């Protein structure tokens, strides 16, 4: 009866489909998105999936059998449908779409969107108005290029953002003529903009025009007997030419091209991109495609092109493909609109352009083999690590999901906790969580803090909080018997039986809690048991069983963790695994990641508290004025360096307040 009802729902939706362009979304019985597609006519396209005469690939046939509901969105044109499809795939990551996957972060050079732009190294593309160049494959070469640009041009070398207002005295770079000193208000914005435009010409892969213009300027300077200026231009030209000579010439036409190739076999599909600017190869990049195992090469290429250029910071003049794609005309129209000028998407049949596509294909073959080998090694490591941990720790289930916990604070200030996760031995960063510790003892108490973090996490699991509703197969605590005992007290208070272990830092010993009816008398060398530890030894300062009721300042004379006296007595069995064993390597990685994640959050809160508390102590400076001051000057130190006039020019600030801020910070 239920099955017939579902078929009726789908049949009813099919009768209501409009004959307009738009996107369609298929859902399964749980409401999860299966597939996202676009169509010039939704009625014709969606109905074709359910016609008996249609021959589907194995992947699409499996998907059709799972469809339980259909959703669609109507737009005004096929071009709008293409843009919407790209956004929906990016949002939902449907399992039956061909999806671009990139396991590596490639380096870029960014020229920031500021009054006095900086030239920086980055691995993240942000929609911040900056101009991004790349990607490049060799980070060292990118850093060398940036260093060359800083030697050739008086760019901001300190990496700090400056508005051009006087903030401080010029540093040594100014006196060495390697910076125009916008920090001291000495830089001319027009002159600096000309320097940045030259840098961008070089980064765009068109250095010849720049070098020729600079040579003419050098000649004029020499004729005017300005030999110092001529010598500086000569050094800049030599640095640019040396960098230019290292780039491989691929095309005599001097065009801007992206060359794309695909290689498919039973291992999957790999995409190789070559980036050619002004006829020279400036970089390359590899991608794996998920869900492309039984799709045609044309489909794989088409889906990749749409997903890649949806977020790409740059669209070249020409894009070369290995095979024809069904939506080439509409994709070409979309890219022209995105670039704001002419773009050609073509499939070369012979000649130099065909040679470039073949070169990309050869690299794609190597990339696929490398990706396949990496996946095989990861799968082998995961299997060995989880099997070893299951056997060594005597676990009932394979530890597919392992959660690691750590605490970070300095003498009890800005205490935080971290939760990091691995699934199938791979970091699941979307599952990471951070905790602001609510318990603030007069002296540090890591045990009580660990108990609070585990209490809050496990309470959320019991209450089916959507952010914490995945149960771990194993919990690892960064620390020894004390931290593990605190975590066990939290687990037992929740009535759970999730396996827990502690990992001590020095000797890399794994501590496994055990219950014994016959209590051993201290450490017994023959069976490896260590002395017992009861929950009431974990903390004698506060009740942490209900974290929602944790006071800001706990009563240090309050009893130990609630229920500790009634709780079980644990004995901790030490387990030593070889340092290079997969199981221990996995736990060590998890512990180090938990520590990194915790200390990063702790530093952020600590720095924020230090900055905020200093300013908020000044009478008349509230949250809004503090925010405006920090936005204008960047930091407390920047505010301290500012003059009274500069401070009073900030919105909502008066001269009297500015003098007060200056006086207060000069004494602090």
């Amino acid at each position: 009866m239920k099955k017939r009802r579902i078929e009726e729902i789908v049949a009813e939706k099919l009768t209501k489909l409009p004959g307009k362009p738009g996107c369609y979304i298929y859902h399964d019985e749980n409401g999860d998105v299966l597939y996202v597609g676009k169509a010039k006519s939704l009625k014709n396209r969606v109905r074709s999936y359910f016609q008996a005469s249609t021959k589907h690939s194995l992947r699409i046939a499996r998907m059709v059998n799972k469809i339980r509901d259909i959703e669609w969105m109507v737009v005004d044109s096929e071009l709008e449908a293409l843009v919407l499809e790209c956004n929906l795939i990016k949002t939902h990551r449907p399992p039956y779409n061909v999806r671009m996957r990139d396991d590596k972060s490639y380096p870029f050079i960014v020229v920031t969107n500021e009054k006095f732009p900086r030239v920086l190294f980055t691995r993240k593309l942000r929609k911040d108005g900056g101009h991004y160049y790349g990607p490049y494959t060799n980070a060292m070469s990118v850093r060398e290029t940036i260093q060359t640009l800083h030697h050739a041009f008086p760019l901001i070398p300190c990496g700090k953002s400056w508005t051009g207002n006087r903030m401080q005295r010029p540093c040594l770079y100014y006196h060495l003529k390697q910076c125009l000193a916008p920090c001291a208000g000495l830089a001319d914005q027009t002159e600096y903009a000309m320097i940045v435009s030259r840098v961008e010409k070089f980064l765009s892969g068109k250095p010849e025009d720049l070098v020729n213009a600079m040579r003419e300027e050098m000649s004029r300077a020499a004729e005017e007997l300005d030999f110092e200026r001529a010598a500086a231009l000569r050094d800049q030209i030599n640095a640019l030419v040396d960098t230019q000579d290292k780039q491989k010439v691929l095309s005599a036409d001097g065009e801007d091209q992206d060359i794309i190739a695909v290689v498919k076999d039973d291992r999957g599909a790999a995409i190789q991109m070559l980036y050619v600017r002004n006829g020279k190869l400036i970089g390359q990049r590899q991608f794996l495609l998920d869900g492309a195992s039984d799709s045609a090469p044309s489909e794989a290429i088409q889906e990749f092109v749409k997903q890649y250029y949806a977020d790409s910071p740059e669209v070249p003049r020409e894009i070369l493909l290995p095979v024809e794609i069904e939506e080439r005309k509409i994709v070409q129209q979309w890219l022209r609109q995105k670039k704001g000028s002419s773009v050609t998407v073509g499939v070369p049949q012979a000649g130099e352009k065909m040679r470039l596509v073949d070169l990309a294909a050869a690299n794609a073959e190597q990339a696929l083999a490398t990706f396949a080998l990496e996946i095989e090694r990861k799968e082998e490591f995961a299997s060995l690590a989880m099997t070893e941990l299951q056997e060594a720790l005597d676990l009932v289930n394979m530890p597919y999901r392992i959660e690691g916990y750590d605490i970070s604070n300095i003498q009890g200030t800005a205490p935080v906790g971290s939760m990091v996760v691995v699934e199938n031995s791979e970091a699941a960063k979307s599952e990471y969580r951070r905790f602001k510790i609510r318990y603030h003892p007069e002296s540090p108490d890591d045990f009580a803090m660990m108990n609070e973090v585990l209490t809050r996490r496990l309470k959320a699991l019991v209450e089916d909080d959507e952010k914490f509703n995945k149960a771990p197969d194993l919990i690892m605590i960064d620390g020894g018997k004390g931290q593990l005992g605190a975590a066990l007290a939290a687990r037992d208070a929740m009535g759970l039986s999730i396996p827990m272990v502690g990992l001590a830092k020095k000797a890399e010993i794994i501590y496994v809690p055990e219950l014994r009816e016959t209590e051993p008398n201290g450490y017994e060398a023959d069976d490896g048991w260590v002395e017992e530890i009861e929950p009431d030894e974990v903390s004698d300062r506060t009740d942490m069983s209900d974290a929602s009721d944790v006071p800001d300042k706990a009563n240090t004379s309050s009893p130990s963790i609630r229920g500790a006296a009634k709780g079980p007595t644990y004995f901790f069995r030490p387990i030593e695994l070889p340092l290079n064993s997969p199981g221990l390597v996995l736990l060590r990685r998890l512990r180090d990641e938990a520590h990194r994640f915790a200390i990063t959050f702790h530093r952020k809160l600590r720095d924020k508290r230090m900055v905020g508390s200093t300013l908020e102590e000044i009478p008349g400076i509230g949250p809004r004025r503090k925010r405006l001051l920090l936005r204008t000057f960047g930091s407390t130190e920047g505010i301290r360096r500012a003059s009274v006039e500069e401070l009073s020019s900030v919105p909502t600030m008066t001269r009297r307040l500015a003098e007060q801020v200056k006086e207060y910070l000069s004494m602090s």
Side-chain angles (χ1 to χ4, degrees):
M1 186 69 182
K2 184 179 179 182
K3 185 176 182 181
R4 187 173 70 249
R5 177 57 185 155
I6 290 172
E7 291 174 350
E8 289 175 1
I9 292 174
V10 174
E12 183 181 354
K13 291 289 182 74
L14 292 176
T15 63
K16 297 180 179 180
L17 285 163
K20 296 181 179 180
C23 288
Y24 54 93
I25 304 174
Y26 293 147
H27 296 271
D28 63 12
E29 59 185 358
N30 298 318
D32 296 329
V33 175
L34 289 171
Y35 185 83
V36 171
K38 77 162 189 64
K40 191 174 184 179
S41 170
L42 287 168
K43 179 190 295 185
N44 296 338
R45 179 60 175 163
V46 176
R47 285 182 176 180
S48 69
Y49 282 92
F50 300 91
Q51 293 174 357
S53 59
T54 304
K55 293 183 179 179
H56 295 303
S57 66
L58 182 61
R59 173 174 60 94
I60 298 300
R62 287 197 299 263
M63 184 265 294
V64 171
N65 289 332
K66 294 182 179 181
I67 296 174
R68 298 295 181 267
D69 195 8
I70 305 171
E71 179 186 358
W72 61 83
M73 302 179 189
V74 176
V75 294
D76 293 331
S77 66
E78 191 178 2
L79 180 59
E80 290 183 16
L82 185 146
V83 175
L84 178 59
E85 179 194 27
C86 293
N87 291 332
L88 290 173
I89 291 174
K90 181 179 178 181
T91 300
H92 296 292
R93 304 291 294 172
Y96 286 93
N97 279 92
V98 175
R99 303 180 311 282
M100 179 181 75
R101 175 160 63 92
D102 180 20
D103 291 331
K104 299 179 181 178
S105 59
Y106 289 82
F108 290 81
I109 296 175
V110 58
V111 179
T112 60
N113 180 28
E114 297 171 305
K115 189 174 180 179
F116 289 87
R118 295 166 290 161
V119 179
L120 304 173
F121 176 101
T122 184
R123 290 184 182 271
K124 291 184 178 180
L125 295 174
R126 299 180 176 88
K127 295 182 180 179
D128 54 6
H131 294 167
Y132 289 82
Y133 300 91
Y136 304 96
T137 54
N138 191 317
M140 183 177 293
S141 297
V142 174
R143 297 187 189 278
E144 288 176 355
T145 299
I146 293 176
Q147 189 175 21
T148 298
L149 291 173
H150 278 291
H151 283 307
F153 301 102
L155 299 164
I156 297 173
C158 61
K160 297 179 181 178
S161 176
W162 304 106
T163 62
N165 298 325
R166 180 173 177 79
M167 304 285 288
Q168 62 182 35
R169 290 182 298 176
C171 65
L172 183 61
Y173 285 111
Y174 172 76
H175 299 292
L176 293 174
K177 298 185 177 180
Q178 293 182 9
C179 181
L180 298 182
C183 60
L186 301 176
D188 179 73
Q189 190 176 0
T190 303
E191 180 185 0
Y192 194 87
M194 183 186 69
I195 292 169
V196 172
S197 68
R198 288 181 169 180
V199 170
E200 293 196 285
K201 273 188 179 181
F202 175 79
L203 293 174
S204 298
K206 301 175 182 178
E208 287 84 2
D209 295 341
L210 172 60
V211 169
N212 291 335
M214 292 176 67
R215 280 175 175 157
E216 292 178 5
E217 188 178 346
M218 180 181 67
S219 299
R220 287 197 301 270
E223 290 172 0
E224 296 170 0
L225 304 182
D226 188 354
F227 299 116
E228 186 176 359
R229 171 69 174 159
L233 287 167
R234 178 202 61 200
D235 294 341
Q236 292 175 4
I237 291 168
N238 290 339
L240 296 178
V241 170
D242 288 344
T243 303
Q244 178 187 356
D245 290 342
K246 296 177 183 178
Q247 296 176 329
K248 182 179 180 181
V249 178
L250 288 186
S251 172
D253 298 333
E255 296 183 10
D256 292 349
Q257 299 167 316
D258 281 355
I259 299 103
I260 304 175
V262 62
V263 172
K264 284 181 78 281
D265 59 18
D266 55 357
R267 298 172 296 183
I271 294 285
Q272 174 76 29
M273 290 193 70
L274 300 180
Y275 302 93
V276 177
R277 299 295 180 265
N278 201 35
K280 294 180 180 178
L281 178 65
I282 67 166
Q284 61 177 337
R285 195 172 182 182
Q286 298 88 27
F287 301 84
L288 274 184
L289 296 183
D290 291 331
S293 57
D294 61 348
S295 62
S298 59
E299 181 188 358
I301 284 287
Q302 178 171 282
E303 295 305 311
F304 169 78
V305 168
K306 292 190 293 185
Q307 293 176 43
Y308 175 78
Y309 287 105
D311 292 324
S312 175
E314 181 184 14
V315 178
R317 169 68 180 76
E318 185 175 36
I319 299 172
L320 302 180
L321 306 180
V323 292
E324 187 65 64
I325 60 176
E326 180 183 351
E327 300 175 352
R328 183 169 65 87
K329 290 184 179 180
I330 190 66
V331 167
Q332 187 170 265
Q333 181 185 350
W334 168 55
L335 293 175
R336 285 174 178 173
Q337 187 182 84
K338 185 178 176 69
K339 182 177 176 62
S341 60
S342 178
V343 176
T344 301
V345 179
V347 182
Q349 302 300 321
E352 181 69 16
K353 293 180 179 179
M354 185 65 186
R355 184 184 71 84
L356 294 177
V357 173
D358 291 340
L359 176 63
N363 282 274
E365 184 71 49
Q366 295 182 10
L368 182 59
T370 302
F371 278 135
L373 182 60
E374 289 178 358
I375 291 173
E376 184 179 338
R377 287 176 176 172
K378 287 180 180 179
E379 289 177 348
E380 182 181 4
F381 172 82
S383 177
L384 290 173
M386 290 188 295
T387 301
E388 183 177 47
L389 288 176
Q390 185 179 20
E391 294 175 353
L393 306 179
D394 196 22
L395 302 176
V396 176
N397 299 317
M398 183 80 76
Y400 175 81
R401 177 185 171 98
I402 308 176
E403 295 179 359
Y405 293 84
D406 190 22
I407 301 296
S408 181
N409 68 95
I410 294 180
Q411 295 298 312
T413 61
V416 299
S418 68
M419 163 185 155
V420 299
V421 182
V422 293
E423 292 180 345
N424 196 31
S425 300
E426 288 288 309
K429 294 194 175 182
S430 63
E431 300 291 318
Y432 286 16
R433 302 289 183 264
R434 301 182 299 191
F435 301 83
K436 287 184 180 179
I437 304 294
R438 299 167 182 166
Y439 168 56
H440 293 278
E442 295 180 1
S443 59
D445 191 339
D446 284 359
F447 300 161
M449 293 178 188
M450 182 65 75
N451 181 272
E452 177 188 333
V453 168
L454 265 296
T455 296
R456 288 164 58 184
R457 187 272 178 268
L458 297 176
K459 183 179 180 182
L461 174 64
V462 171
E463 295 176 351
D464 199 28
D465 186 322
E466 62 178 9
K467 292 184 178 181
F468 293 92
N469 58 6
K470 291 184 180 180
D473 301 304
L474 177 66
I475 289 177
M476 187 218 67
I477 304 300
D478 182 2
K481 294 174 287 184
Q483 288 87 347
L484 180 55
L488 288 166
R491 182 197 69 177
D492 294 342
M494 291 293 153
L496 299 173
S497 58
I498 300 170
M500 286 188 176
V501 297
L503 182 60
K505 286 186 176 67
K506 291 184 179 179
E508 306 291 6
I509 294 175
I510 303 172
Y511 287 104
V512 180
E514 301 281 359
L515 291 172
R516 290 189 69 184
E517 294 181 1
T518 305
E519 299 183 3
N521 183 16
Y523 178 78
E524 298 180 7
D526 56 345
D527 63 2
W529 289 97
V530 297
E531 67 275 16
E532 67 270 23
I533 182 169
E534 297 189 7
D536 59 359
E537 295 179 42
V538 169
S539 172
D540 60 356
R541 290 189 172 87
T542 186
D543 182 339
M544 303 300 298
S545 62
D546 187 355
S548 63
D549 297 326
V550 175
D552 289 335
K553 293 184 178 180
N555 181 0
T556 57
S557 63
S558 61
S560 61
I561 297 171
R562 184 179 298 167
K566 301 178 182 179
T569 299
Y570 287 101
F571 306 94
F572 295 87
R573 178 163 56 94
I575 295 178
E576 294 189 48
L577 297 176
L579 291 178
N580 61 349
S581 64
L584 183 57
V585 168
L586 177 59
L587 291 184
R588 290 170 64 187
R589 288 178 183 173
L590 187 65
R591 179 197 62 197
D592 295 343
E593 179 70 351
H595 179 70
R596 180 200 66 80
F597 197 55
I599 200 168
T600 301
F601 187 40
H602 164 69
R603 287 171 178 165
K604 181 179 178 180
L605 291 183
R606 182 191 63 196
D607 294 345
K608 183 178 179 181
R609 176 177 296 181
M610 290 173 65
V611 170
S613 61
T614 301
L615 293 175
E616 287 171 357
E617 290 173 0
I618 304 174
I621 302 300
R624 186 177 178 218
R625 283 184 174 135
K626 181 187 75 173
R627 185 170 62 252
L628 290 170
L629 286 169
L630 289 173
R631 183 182 299 169
T632 303
F633 300 105
S635 65
T636 306
E637 187 60 32
I639 298 171
R640 182 180 284 110
R641 292 196 301 259
S643 65
V644 172
E645 289 73 20
E646 289 170 335
L647 291 172
S648 60
S649 66
V650 175
T652 76
M653 289 290 291
T654 64
R655 184 172 183 84
R656 185 183 64 80
L657 270 177
E659 292 173 348
Q660 195 168 326
V661 169
K662 190 72 176 173
E663 180 182 0
Y664 187 92
L665 292 180
S666 65
M667 295 185 298
S668 63

